[in-house]
Amino acid sequence: RPAATSRTKMKSSPLCALAISSAACCAAASAFVAPSSLPECSGGARCVVPPQQARQNAGVRPLFSAQVEEGTDWAVIKPEDDDEEWDLAKGGVLLAMDSAVKATGTVSGGSADAAKLLRYGKLTEASDADVDAALAASGSVVVCTGSGAELYKDPGLATVEEVTLGPMDAVAKALSSSPNVAALSGAKKVVINFLGGNGLMMDEVLDAAGLLAQNMGDAAPSKMTFNSISHKDIADGAASVTVMAAGGGNADGALGEAVANGEAYFYQGKWYAVLDEDIIKD
């Protein structure tokens, strides 16, 4: 991303993990590991880091080699004389790569603040029929949805950069889709749900949530809730927003409970959710 639009605040995504052995790994971190902060990897320790940093470390530490898998965001660094097979499906490495990270918070007065971070073992796809049944049972309503993508237009000889951020683009699409604002007045609560890839930036989500809340009309409550999920299966730079009015009723099952609370994510024609039963407890 161009320097003018780079962010330094918290990312809501699991991006790295460290493994002391092939079967014992620590939990995912919420930011990239700087090359200078990587461990020395002595005594057989392995590191799983973004590939660019892996290559940098491989260059300055000749005793270790980096294996970068095509089309992935991960690299394995290990001693060159170590012939042990290392299964990424063991321990916490695969967990760090596959987990979904959710930030939650509130939106009030056009300003959003994150309050809590949760990690889930997976992002669950839900069928249209199951979501529709949960909506009907709980009295919840989908107010609007929108999908966006990050776009950087090279200014060429001009001095003004044109940058479209994924969450902002998603909000613009949602607001232009004729939202069902009538559902807002009778809602128990209104929830703004963002879904994006591992590069989803928290401050971009906060700005987008505030903008959406400001433009929902007089029927919108003064205080809303937001959720923001990042997961590796969502394309980098892509984002979606799903606004739901929770009806306060009950619906069966873990998915029904999530929908009843106003939480579901619509992206590229499919529904997704994170379930309480998949929460990873530290």
Side-chain angles (χ1 to χ4, degrees):
R1 179 178 290 124
T5 61
S6 63
R7 300 291 192 268
T8 57
K9 293 184 180 180
M10 177 183 68
K11 284 189 176 184
S12 59
S13 56
L15 294 172
C16 61
L18 304 177
I20 301 306
S21 71
S22 59
C25 307
C26 77
S30 60
F32 283 112
V33 175
S36 60
S37 68
L38 287 172
E40 290 298 324
C41 295
S42 59
R46 281 93 166 157
C47 306
V48 177
V49 297
Q52 182 180 3
Q53 294 170 5
R55 291 193 293 271
Q56 291 173 352
N57 279 272
V60 297
R61 295 176 182 169
L63 294 179
F64 295 84
S65 62
Q67 300 175 351
V68 182
E69 296 294 332
E70 185 70 24
T72 70
D73 294 329
W74 300 88
V76 177
I77 300 178
K78 65 179 184 178
E80 292 183 344
D81 59 356
D82 187 350
D83 295 327
E84 177 187 354
E85 286 290 331
W86 191 23
D87 186 357
L88 290 180
K90 294 180 178 179
V93 177
L94 186 65
L95 177 63
M97 296 168 66
D98 285 347
S99 61
V101 174
K102 181 175 79 172
T104 66
T106 57
V107 189
S108 180
S111 177
D113 294 294
K116 190 175 183 180
L117 193 67
L118 295 170
R119 214 156 40 91
Y120 296 78
K122 62 182 179 179
L123 181 66
T124 299
E125 184 177 336
S127 69
D128 289 349
D130 287 343
V131 172
D132 288 343
L135 289 170
S138 64
S140 298
V141 176
V142 177
V143 177
C144 59
T145 65
S147 294
E150 182 171 309
L151 176 65
Y152 168 68
K153 184 178 180 180
D154 193 326
L157 297 178
T159 58
V160 179
E161 296 175 342
E162 294 184 29
V163 181
T164 301
L165 302 176
M168 283 292 194
D169 191 28
V171 164
K173 300 287 178 54
L175 290 173
S176 65
S177 68
S178 300
N180 182 9
V181 293
L184 300 175
S185 58
K188 180 180 179 182
K189 64 178 178 178
V190 176
V191 186
I192 304 170
N193 302 294
F194 288 93
L195 176 63
N198 277 343
L200 186 64
M201 301 295 288
M202 179 53 59
D203 56 342
E204 295 175 6
V205 168
L206 297 179
D207 290 344
L211 177 65
L212 191 149
Q214 283 183 314
N215 289 276
M216 289 301 291
D218 295 336
S222 60
K223 187 175 183 179
M224 305 182 194
T225 301
F226 83 87
N227 300 304
S228 174
I229 287 184
S230 61
H231 190 266
K232 67 179 182 63
D233 287 348
I234 308 302
D236 189 28
S240 73
V241 63
T242 306
V243 181
M244 298 185 66
N250 296 319
D252 294 334
L255 175 63
E257 182 178 350
V259 172
N261 286 325
E263 185 176 2
Y265 305 82
F266 191 70
Y267 173 70
Q268 291 190 346
K270 296 180 179 181
W271 285 101
Y272 296 90
V274 286
L275 309 180
D276 286 349
E277 62 195 40
D278 295 322
I279 291 177
I280 299 172
K281 298 180 180 180
D282 296 330

